[in-house]
Amino acid sequence: MAAIYSLYIINKSGGLIFYKDYGLQGRMDTNDSLRLASLWHSMHAISQQLSPILGCSGIELLEADTFDLHCFQSLTGTKFFVVSEPGTQNMENLLKHIYELYTDYVLKNPFYEMEMPIRCELFDINLAQSIQKDRVSYLGR
Amino acid sequence: MQFFGGSEISPSPPLPTASGNNAHMMYIFNRNGVCLLYREWNRPLRTLDSNQDHKLMFGLLFSLKSLTAKMDPSSAEKGNLGVPQLPGQGCSFHSFRTNTYKLSFMESPSGIKIILVTHPKASDLRESLKYIYNLYVEYVVKNPLYTPGTPIRSELFNTTLDQYVRGLG
């Protein structure tokens, strides 16, 4: 079993710029993944509106019946979220690590256009490595 | 016959803790999206008027449910995003957490939605929501003067609810 089912990165206007699937069900339809990403973007924004206390920065963890969704929003509004098995620990650190990879291999890539889909080979390689590492440590526990 | 638990109100409510009231507010919606009950214990921030707030909350839950039903990694065939689903059908969710609050959600088979907004560090409140649902059944549904689908105006239900929620850790 995989600890992580999928990873999404959405830009500050809710467009999906990166999607990767690690589950057994195979890749979701492209249109569906785009729609899910923008739906999440708006749900995240609405959750801030409904906060009873000032200073809400949106949903961090959504616990569904069959999965957990962990979300990390960077200061510039780019959102990273992973869909994982229920109760998976340490996802905040993984998301921060993926953010680091994003800054190193995507933002510093001179050919990358901001807010556009990510097509960077180095990012893919390093991401696969850290997901693998995370999975190994998960299995080790 | 109740759907959850035995014939009497169970589990027994926990004793009040010294930590005080952690709950911010609670909503009860019926399946048509009518807000049957809104209780507020501690809400310093209000961005919208109450009617808009209830609509936004119902819309958030509705869309989050279609999101989770579509995202469900345990089944391959899920239909299109946003297809109408009956209560209990498809993958639902039971809570989400932000940095300022935690929202716990329960839907009964008849489509009654109970939403409790608490401190983000609150523990799993699924059992508490079931207990609140039992209170609703005992004090509201079994009240012969209550017309289904109308806002709840039961003093007894409100006081029992206040008492129970105040005791939540």
Side-chain angles (χ1 to χ4, degrees), chain B residues 1-2 7 136-146:
Chain B
M1 185 67 192
Q2 277 171 275
S7 58
Y136 164 78
V137 171
E138 294 294 326
Y139 293 123
V140 180
V141 178
K142 291 187 181 173
N143 181 349
L145 298 176
Y146 174 71

Side-chain angles (χ1 to χ4, degrees), chain A residues 109-122:
Chain A
N109 182 339
F111 299 105
Y112 175 67
E113 273 182 74
M114 286 301 286
E115 318 297 336
M116 293 304 276
I118 297 170
R119 284 195 197 84
C120 301
E121 201 185 332
L122 273 176

Side-chain angles (χ1 to χ4, degrees), chain A residues 71-91:
Chain A
C71 181
F72 168 73
Q73 185 176 26
S74 76
L75 287 174
T76 47
T78 311
K79 280 189 271 297
F80 298 76
F81 60 100
V82 286
V83 178
S84 67
E85 271 181 38
T88 314
Q89 303 291 312
N90 217 16
M91 283 293 127

Side-chain angles (χ1 to χ4, degrees), chain A residues 47 49 52 60-61 63 65-66, chain B residues 44 47 72 92 94-95 97 101:
Chain A
S47 73
Q49 286 255 311
E60 291 170 353
L61 166 65
E63 290 177 295
D65 298 342
T66 55
Chain B
T47 46
D72 180 13
S92 184
H94 58 85
S95 74
R97 180 167 59 76
Y101 68 98

Side-chain angles (χ1 to χ4, degrees), chain A residues 5 25 32 35 43 46-47 49-67 69, chain B residues 24 44-45 47 53 56 60 63 68 70-73 76 81 91-101:
Chain A
Y5 294 122
Q25 296 299 338
D32 282 340
R35 289 162 73 198
M43 293 306 105
I46 291 176
S47 73
Q49 286 255 311
L50 287 167
S51 171
I53 298 175
L54 208 66
C56 182
S57 58
I59 306 178
E60 291 170 353
L61 166 65
L62 172 75
E63 290 177 295
D65 298 342
T66 55
F67 65 89
L69 192 155
Chain B
H24 290 296
L45 176 70
T47 46
D53 180 71
L56 195 64
L60 174 69
S63 310
T68 52
K70 184 68 198 172
M71 221 170 227
D72 180 13
L81 181 67
C91 173
S92 184
F93 71 101
H94 58 85
S95 74
F96 71 74
R97 180 167 59 76
T98 73
N99 57 340
T100 56
Y101 68 98

Side-chain angles (χ1 to χ4, degrees), chain A residues 4 6-7 68-70 80-84 91 94-95 98:
Chain A
I4 299 160
S6 47
L7 164 72
D68 277 5
L69 192 155
H70 294 259
F80 298 76
F81 60 100
V82 286
V83 178
S84 67
M91 283 293 127
L94 179 74
L95 282 169
I98 293 171

Side-chain angles (χ1 to χ4, degrees), chain A residues 1-8 18-26 82-83 98 124 127-128 131-132 135:
Chain A
M1 279 300 274
I4 299 160
Y5 294 122
S6 47
L7 164 72
Y8 297 74
F18 188 83
Y19 165 58
K20 198 127 181 100
D21 209 299
Y22 302 97
L24 305 166
Q25 296 299 338
V82 286
V83 178
I98 293 171
D124 288 343
L127 182 68
I131 296 279
Q132 190 62 35
R135 197 169 284 174

